[in-house]
Amino acid sequence: MNYLNELNPAQRAAVEQLDGPMMVIAGAGSGKTRVLTYRVAHLINNGVDPFSILSLTFTNKAAREMKSRIGTIVGESESRNIWMGTFHSIFARILRIEADHLNYPRNFTIYDTQDTKSLLSDIIKQMGLDPKVYKPGVVYSRISSAKNNLISPEAYLQNSDVLAEDHQTGKPKLGEIYLAYKQRCFKAGAMDFDDLLFNTNVLLRKFPDILHKYQHKFRYILVDEYQDTNFSQYLIVKQLAAAHQNICVVGDDAQSIYAFRGANIQNILNFKQDYPDFGQYKLEQNYRSTQTIVNAANSIIAKNKDQIQKEVWTDNDQGSQIVVHRSYSDNEEGKFVAENIFEISTRQKKHHKDFAILYRTNAQSRSFEEALRKLNLPYRIYGGLSFYQRKEIKDLLAYFRLSANHKDEEAFKRVINYPGRGIGKTTIEKLVIAAGDHNVSLWEVITNPGTYRTGVNNSTQAKLNDFATMISSFASELDKQPAYEMGHLIATSTGLLKNLYDDKSPEGVGRYENIQELLNGMKNFSDQNDPDNPDRIFSLSDFLIDVALLTDADADDDDDNKISLMTIHAAKGLEFPVVYVVGLEENLFPSQLSLNSREDLEEERRLFYVALTRAEEIATLSYATTRYRWGNLTHAEPSRFIEEIDPKFLSLPTTPTPKGYSMDFTAERNKFAARHANKPSQPSAPPPGMKRATPSAANPIEASDANLIQPGNQVMHERFGKGKVLTVEGDPANKKATVFFPKVGQKQLLLRFAKLQILD
């Protein structure tokens, strides 16, 4: 029983309650995995048959680690017999045993996402529906949501509200596709991941003898991360626990961040209603973070109304204040974080693996990847591919490469039929054979059809001609236009941008955002200055040379000593000595989509709480005052979450922002509050969070607001020097000024990009 001495009083109490329902509220860093592990070991040491213990986790890694730790206490032979694993793995196991009750073969296939989308594509085609309207990703999302809410296709087709919603979105046949999908899966003896939970519910509901069997088999049930369970998972657990009610759920309502996947925080908040005689244990001692980080996290999560009250505390060192860093742009933010990591790792002798950069969306990784590479700092993207290795990015870059070099065969094969233009695999195979036979490029083959006999019919050759004409038109302008202009032209003209925009599934939206982030980076690249050649255009060819090093994949190695880059969702359950929470701006974090209801905003606040509590020793909060969005430079306000932290735990920015602005943090927040109270802001206001400095020749101001520029103004331009404004014309969003510069002559400038400084 020595293992019990390793527990604090709250942990030990939770481990020692053997029978009855119980809920363990485990604050961040409070040792919940240890409690789960020791509780299972304690049950076995008190005579409970390991075969009668069901322990449900959300990752296979967690299950493996827990089993291993239990084995060191009770022996591997005992730990091996525990029913421990993820919801999907455990219930797939049960479904294989009971498959004949549902008329499935015991060796049924489990379809992954690609299998599902491929089958849906086939069904959509056979039904004669427009695949641009019924995108497989969108349809899959809809079916998945229905299954997680235990809505069968038959019930779906009888639900007038659901059908009305489908009609409103222009997809009235979704229910019929769902039914056909179910029938095709059944005919193929296959289930998808959602079916594993859906069909388990069907099994337990339709066959009382099966329910009775497993209710009495699993006398003790433990559920990790209970706050992340959806309705389907909740109902399975409730049914299985009904006979003995020896159910132990562990979780933290303050870390419920998966509503977009169907997780329902009410499952943990309403546990006492399902089990009125439950025992509740609160693990409030944090073993991970400094006192400053713990107290700051407490002050932010206290703003949520829907929560189980607890006061997380720690005996760890006080620690330093949390630094709030303000950058002028997202690129500058990336540079700051990279340089700060270099400084801390050098000064404090920390390993690269001690650092993590956490962001709200995957698309934000670009500026940090570029900055880390420039300092030769190794990093690893978690929960997703490196930004430049994502398919949609590689697709657009392939168009760029082919436009610059028509002989680039890999780029050619990647984009010849994407987006789809009716050039199939058979045609491509014929082209490859002809090119190989004559030792010429694929481009040479398609642009000289009379010379190379490919066997391609006239209709297909016409499509090849159109493709070649399009690429040639890009090539003719390649070095005449800035990189951003050309990049946007290619993304639009090829149909790639529209193809991604039309996909409204979460994955599709993410891919579209990634393309926009690439274009944002190209805008920054185009806007740079060459002091030796003020008139130089930074073209797409220049960009390709610059980005080549960034897209060169790192060699695989076993070295895990790398800086971690990941979304906050991917970081849940992890911890790092040094954490940077970046992009803390209104409409980015919290997301603009979360501002419609208190429930959504509280989930965003819980997400921020998760981010902050990943840090052990040092936490830095970062935001930019300007950020490119959709190719436009926009001004950003710091996230409300910064202000919601008790300021005594923060080190706020005090240094002046470039271009003659100075920060007034309180004024910045007041302005934000006024805006959200529907008070209109003044059209001539400076960028959010900044006070306009007094203009003078020695202290110029940046005229980011086009209304400040008037004919007759003396101005300063970064590239062209001093000049005089002759005329101003156009609507406020697209105002242009004609300016005479003594050094270079007359120039017409788009004011929102010109960065002019007024000198008088």
Side-chain angles (χ1 to χ4, degrees):
M1 293 290 182
N2 290 337
Y3 58 89
L4 293 178
N5 295 331
E6 299 176 20
L7 303 171
N8 67 35
Q11 293 172 332
R12 181 163 182 162
V15 166
E16 289 185 321
Q17 179 183 326
L18 298 180
D19 299 319
M22 57 183 291
M23 177 168 64
V24 180
I25 302 300
S30 62
K32 74 175 178 65
T33 302
R34 171 171 287 195
V35 168
L36 276 169
T37 302
Y38 284 21
R39 176 169 168 76
V40 173
H42 195 61
L43 287 170
I44 295 172
N45 280 338
N46 278 271
V48 175
D49 184 352
F51 282 103
S52 70
I53 299 174
L54 172 63
S55 181
L56 298 168
T57 66
F58 270 80
T59 66
N60 289 308
K61 180 182 177 183
R64 288 193 300 269
E65 290 178 354
M66 286 174 61
K67 260 193 177 182
S68 175
R69 291 166 68 175
I70 292 167
T72 62
I73 299 174
V74 301
E76 286 189 19
S77 59
E78 295 280 56
S79 66
R80 193 180 299 119
N81 298 328
I82 304 164
W83 281 63
M84 177 177 285
T86 65
F87 278 86
H88 292 90
S89 66
I90 291 293
F91 297 123
R93 183 176 171 186
I94 291 175
L95 285 171
R96 292 199 186 282
I97 295 171
E98 312 296 345
D100 55 325
H101 287 82
L102 299 177
N103 296 317
Y104 269 86
R106 290 199 173 193
N107 63 339
F108 62 81
T109 299
I110 299 177
Y111 279 168
D112 63 17
T113 301
Q114 291 305 315
D115 295 323
T116 294
K117 290 182 178 179
S118 177
L119 176 54
L120 286 171
S121 295
D122 192 27
I123 292 170
I124 291 164
K125 182 179 179 181
Q126 290 183 2
M127 290 177 67
L129 300 173
D130 186 349
K132 294 179 181 177
V133 175
Y134 292 91
K135 290 182 177 292
V138 176
V139 176
Y140 173 57
S141 240
R142 185 69 166 172
I143 292 174
S144 176
S145 178
K147 287 181 180 178
N148 285 328
N149 285 287
L150 301 183
I151 301 173
S152 68
E154 295 79 8
Y156 191 105
L157 287 166
Q158 294 174 5
N159 189 313
S160 58
D161 291 337
V162 170
L163 295 179
E165 184 180 340
D166 288 347
H167 274 278
Q168 289 174 357
T169 59
K171 301 178 182 65
K173 298 291 186 180
L174 278 173
E176 294 178 32
I177 298 173
Y178 183 11
L179 180 60
Y181 174 71
K182 175 191 174 183
Q183 293 168 342
R184 290 282 294 273
C185 284
F186 183 76
K187 182 179 178 182
M191 299 185 196
D192 64 24
F193 275 85
D194 296 314
D195 284 328
L196 298 177
L197 301 180
F198 184 91
N199 287 335
T200 299
N201 273 293
V202 172
L203 183 71
L204 299 180
R205 185 180 70 248
K206 290 184 66 175
F207 302 97
D209 56 325
I210 300 297
L211 174 60
H212 182 271
K213 171 183 174 180
Y214 287 100
Q215 281 178 337
H216 291 277
K217 175 177 179 58
F218 300 131
R219 292 179 52 222
Y220 292 87
I221 299 174
L222 300 91
V223 186
D224 191 13
E225 305 285 11
Y226 191 63
Q227 77 279 353
D228 293 331
T229 53
N230 61 30
F231 178 65
S232 183
Q233 293 163 328
Y234 160 80
L235 202 57
I236 293 171
V237 170
K238 186 178 180 182
Q239 291 179 89
L240 291 178
H244 296 284
Q245 296 207 350
N246 293 326
I247 177 172
C248 170
V249 301
V250 181
D252 182 6
D253 57 292
Q255 298 186 65
S256 178
I257 59 173
Y258 292 114
F260 69 97
R261 294 183 186 169
N264 187 354
I265 190 175
Q266 296 303 319
N267 291 347
I268 194 167
L269 296 178
N270 295 336
F271 186 81
K272 60 184 177 184
Q273 296 178 16
D274 292 329
Y275 307 96
D277 298 327
F278 79 112
Q280 179 172 284
Y281 303 89
K282 295 182 181 181
L283 308 184
E284 297 173 305
Q285 183 174 1
N286 180 297
Y287 292 94
R288 175 187 300 156
S289 307
T290 65
Q291 291 182 28
T292 295
I293 293 171
V294 168
N295 292 335
N298 285 345
S299 70
I300 183 75
I301 202 63
K303 304 296 188 296
N304 274 10
K305 292 184 179 179
D306 289 339
Q307 64 174 302
I308 298 169
Q309 294 301 321
K310 59 183 174 298
E311 188 65 29
V312 179
W313 59 277
T314 184
D315 273 339
N316 292 343
D317 293 339
Q318 183 70 35
S320 58
Q321 286 185 307
I322 297 169
V323 172
V324 178
H325 183 82
R326 178 189 63 249
S327 298
Y328 184 67
S329 67
D330 48 351
N331 274 8
E332 185 184 286
E333 181 183 39
K335 181 181 178 184
F336 157 73
V337 170
E339 290 177 349
N340 196 246
I341 289 174
F342 182 82
E343 178 187 347
I344 293 177
S345 62
T346 302
R347 189 177 70 243
Q348 299 187 19
K349 307 298 182 185
K350 289 192 178 297
H351 300 290
H352 292 130
K353 64 182 178 182
D354 294 336
F355 297 86
I357 303 171
L358 308 183
Y359 34 76
R360 181 64 181 82
T361 65
N362 273 312
Q364 291 171 253
S365 73
R366 177 193 58 81
S367 62
F368 301 99
E369 290 190 64
E370 292 181 359
L372 291 170
R373 281 180 180 267
K374 287 177 180 177
L375 291 181
N376 200 29
L377 295 173
Y379 67 88
R380 179 173 294 156
I381 301 285
Y382 285 81
L385 294 171
S386 170
F387 182 84
Y388 290 99
Q389 293 301 312
R390 292 170 184 145
K391 178 186 180 301
E392 60 276 12
I393 301 300
K394 291 175 73 69
D395 289 338
L396 186 52
L397 289 176
Y399 271 112
F400 296 169
R401 286 164 46 192
L402 189 61
S403 299
N405 176 15
H406 297 334
K407 294 182 179 181
D408 189 330
E409 185 169 324
E410 290 305 310
F412 181 101
K413 289 192 291 188
R414 188 175 188 96
V415 301
I416 183 65
N417 197 42
Y418 179 76
R421 49 178 61 91
I423 301 172
K425 290 182 179 179
T426 302
T427 297
I428 296 171
E429 289 171 359
K430 290 178 179 179
L431 298 177
V432 169
I433 291 171
D437 288 346
H438 295 87
N439 195 31
V440 296
S441 68
L442 291 168
W443 180 265
E444 182 75 13
V445 171
I446 69 168
T447 53
N448 294 280
T451 304
Y452 306 104
R453 302 296 180 181
T454 61
V456 172
N457 62 41
N458 292 337
S459 173
T460 302
Q461 183 59 50
K463 295 172 183 175
L464 292 171
N465 291 342
D466 290 342
F467 175 76
T469 300
M470 178 181 67
I471 297 298
S472 296
S473 71
F474 298 155
S476 67
E477 295 293 316
L478 204 65
D479 295 315
K480 299 177 183 177
Q481 302 291 334
Y484 170 76
E485 273 38 285
M486 278 304 303
H488 193 273
L489 173 67
I490 292 173
T492 304
S493 301
T494 58
L496 187 149
L497 203 57
K498 183 179 186 303
N499 183 270
L500 295 175
Y501 177 79
D502 288 343
D503 185 354
K504 299 303 183 182
S505 69
E507 296 83 3
V509 171
R511 286 191 287 268
Y512 180 73
E513 290 177 344
N514 288 337
I515 290 294
Q516 293 295 349
E517 183 62 17
L518 175 64
L519 294 174
N520 290 343
M522 296 177 73
K523 181 63 179 174
N524 278 317
F525 180 84
S526 301
D527 283 351
Q528 64 182 308
N529 299 310
D530 183 348
D532 298 325
N533 183 8
D535 291 323
R536 176 184 173 185
I537 294 174
F538 286 84
S539 68
L540 191 60
S541 297
D542 297 323
F543 178 77
L544 285 171
I545 294 170
D546 188 71
V547 83
L549 293 174
L550 299 177
T551 58
D552 186 24
D554 293 332
D556 291 333
D557 56 51
D558 297 325
D559 179 19
D560 65 348
N561 187 26
K562 295 179 179 179
I563 298 159
S564 299
L565 276 70
M566 65 186 80
T567 65
I568 301 164
H569 284 99
K572 190 165 179 290
L574 303 178
E575 56 189 37
F576 303 89
V578 185
V579 168
Y580 300 84
V581 186
V582 299
L584 275 167
E585 298 143 33
E586 284 295 313
N587 298 323
L588 183 57
F589 193 16
S591 163
Q592 188 172 11
L593 299 176
S594 72
L595 303 179
N596 298 321
S597 70
R598 179 171 60 83
E599 290 77 13
D600 290 342
L601 181 58
E602 289 200 353
E603 171 128 342
E604 287 287 292
R605 190 176 286 114
R606 291 193 295 269
L607 188 61
F608 178 66
Y609 175 83
V610 167
L612 187 54
T613 54
R614 297 312 92 197
E616 297 173 351
E617 303 168 19
I618 300 172
T620 297
L621 310 179
S622 173
Y623 69 94
T625 58
T626 63
R627 185 176 293 272
Y628 276 104
R629 290 191 179 181
W630 320 124
N632 293 322
L633 185 66
T634 61
H635 294 291
E637 298 178 359
S639 169
R640 67 187 69 191
F641 297 151
I642 298 176
E643 189 205 48
E644 290 178 352
I645 298 175
D646 190 325
K648 68 184 178 185
F649 303 122
L650 301 177
S651 174
L652 296 172
T654 56
T655 56
T657 298
K659 318 300 183 188
Y661 290 99
S662 59
M663 171 60 68
D664 183 336
F665 199 79
T666 302
E668 189 164 14
R669 300 310 308 156
N670 289 343
K671 182 179 178 184
F672 164 77
R675 183 169 66 80
H676 282 268
N678 297 318
K679 296 178 181 178
S681 57
Q682 295 301 315
S684 61
M690 302 177 183
K691 294 189 296 187
R692 183 70 66 186
T694 304
S696 69
N699 186 23
I701 64 169
E702 179 181 318
S704 298
D705 189 327
N707 291 324
L708 293 174
I709 299 290
Q710 301 295 332
N713 282 154
Q714 295 291 329
V715 295
M716 174 67 73
H717 187 274
E718 290 179 351
R719 287 167 58 186
F720 307 137
K722 290 183 180 181
K724 183 177 181 179
V725 179
L726 303 179
T727 63
V728 178
E729 58 187 8
D731 60 83
N734 296 288
K735 274 195 174 182
K736 295 180 180 179
T738 301
V739 185
F740 176 76
F741 298 97
K743 292 182 179 179
V744 296
Q746 189 169 300
K747 295 283 184 179
Q748 191 174 61
L749 305 171
L750 190 62
L751 290 181
R752 58 181 169 144
F753 295 133
K755 302 179 182 178
L756 293 177
Q757 298 173 337
I758 300 174
L759 300 179
D760 62 350

